[in-house]
Amino acid sequence: MAKFMPLSQAVAENLKDGDAVAFEGFTHLIPTAAAHEAIRQGFKDLTLIRMTPDLVYDQMIGMGMAKKIVFSYVGNPGVGLLRRARDSIENGWPRSVEVEEHSHAGMANAYEAGAAGMPFAVFRGYRGAGLAEVNPNIKSITCPFTGEKLAAVPAVRPDVTFIHAQKADKKGNVLVEGIIGIQKEAVLAAKRAVVTVEEVVDSFDDLHPNLTVLPSWTVTAIALVPGGAHPSYTHGYYIRDNAAYLEWDEIASDREKFREWMQKNVIEKTADDFAGRVAHLRKDA
């Protein structure tokens, strides 16, 4: 059952060196505050899993926390490269990182297989693509009923998944609205799940029954972190900070500038700082 606790405690109790960890979010509801807390606590040798790694994984890779990344797209959305990730892959700075690349369909099916407790996923995919030539975890399988050749990939089952959401109720149930991406499956596939939320409410009794709600038994810990998805957006609360994504390209282009920015804006900050970052982006601002 979900327990409410400060983010620093939730991260310390649920993330360990060497873990396979997913900080999931698909443009929307990216768990930046949780990733920054992991950076402050200095975890190492992580396998970072995510369909669309963006700024937070660039930061974690640049801080030397990752030994491997598993993904289906890597980039600064709407801007271009992830420069710290590229420096690590091409030049081994600050350390070399292993790469396992999939398609979006491959990653989505792998998460769903993990959520279902299956060892692998089977789907139609990778036809005409060269990913199988560089990724040994992409296999083919023959359907025993039709003889059709299908793709197969191992299930994604993180040690811990972090997501951001709009609300939790006092029982520990979590409400997620808007573009959800693969967050639900990432939580269900994980051994442990930590959720940061914009607010805690008494109950969900007055909400539509078809909304996406993660029941409390699927969540390990909940931390109240208003603004915790910045610079991405949280539907109904604040918009995307497009300027921050543009600024990151310049910050990440230089190793020393990157280190200085991380020290000032991550290491020396706390999760409480996020509320102020989104004040000018809120719907009612």
Side-chain angles (χ1 to χ4, degrees):
M1 300 295 287
K3 294 182 179 180
F4 290 87
M5 61 183 68
L7 181 58
S8 57
Q9 180 184 351
V11 172
E13 291 186 1
N14 290 286
L15 182 60
K16 311 298 179 187
D17 289 341
D19 272 354
V21 54
F23 291 83
E24 266 298 347
F26 197 79
T27 302
H28 176 228
L29 296 174
I30 295 169
T32 310
H36 282 188
E37 185 58 43
I39 292 169
R40 280 190 290 273
Q41 294 189 22
F43 292 99
K44 58 187 179 181
D45 295 328
L46 301 176
T47 295
L48 298 178
I49 306 166
R50 187 167 156 200
M51 285 185 66
T52 56
D54 65 350
L55 274 57
V56 290
Y57 276 22
D58 210 28
Q59 293 165 3
M60 297 176 84
I61 292 168
M63 296 299 286
M65 299 171 67
K67 68 176 181 181
K68 180 179 180 179
I69 53 174
V70 182
F71 64 95
S72 53
Y73 163 86
V74 59
N76 184 343
V79 180
L81 304 172
L82 287 187
R83 298 185 182 276
R84 293 300 91 225
R86 182 169 184 169
D87 201 7
S88 177
I89 294 167
E90 293 186 349
N91 304 312
W93 191 93
R95 61 173 292 179
S96 296
V97 62
E98 183 183 348
V99 170
E100 182 178 329
E101 184 176 3
H102 290 275
S103 66
H104 279 345
M107 285 290 290
N109 277 277
Y111 269 125
E112 289 184 351
M118 300 298 291
F120 65 93
V122 179
F123 60 103
R124 292 186 179 94
Y126 297 113
R127 295 176 180 176
L131 280 176
E133 298 172 9
V134 296
N135 183 351
N137 278 333
I138 299 172
K139 306 290 187 182
S140 62
I141 189 170
T142 300
C143 174
F145 303 103
T146 66
E148 181 182 5
K149 186 176 180 180
L150 301 168
V153 294
V156 167
R157 307 190 77 174
D159 292 302
V160 56
T161 287
F162 292 86
I163 67 167
H164 188 72
Q166 280 89 350
K167 299 176 183 179
D169 69 14
K170 292 184 177 179
K171 295 179 181 179
N173 303 303
V174 172
L175 172 70
V176 190
E177 295 181 279
I179 297 174
I180 297 172
I182 203 70
Q183 285 98 309
K184 177 183 69 175
E185 290 79 4
V187 165
L188 296 177
K191 297 175 184 175
R192 303 178 296 279
V194 176
V195 183
T196 54
V197 296
E198 293 292 327
E199 62 177 321
V200 177
V201 298
D202 289 335
S203 73
F204 295 153
D205 292 345
D206 59 342
L207 299 179
H208 194 283
N210 287 338
L211 291 171
T212 298
V213 175
L214 292 166
S216 61
W217 56 266
T218 67
V219 178
T220 310
I222 298 171
L224 177 63
V225 188
H230 180 269
S232 73
Y233 72 102
T234 294
H235 174 72
Y237 290 80
Y238 47 88
I239 62 174
R240 188 176 189 265
D241 190 349
N242 292 315
Y245 287 89
L246 291 169
E247 291 166 2
W248 181 252
D249 190 57
E250 181 180 352
I251 293 162
S253 66
D254 180 83
R255 292 175 180 176
E256 189 57 35
K257 185 180 294 186
F258 162 76
R259 288 286 198 183
E260 291 175 356
W261 190 93
M262 292 296 293
Q263 181 65 34
K264 180 179 179 181
N265 295 280
V266 179
I267 305 301
E268 297 177 4
K269 300 291 185 180
T270 69
D272 294 335
D273 180 61
F274 274 81
R277 298 183 192 185
V278 301
H280 68 294
L281 301 167
R282 290 196 175 276
K283 294 291 187 177
D284 54 0

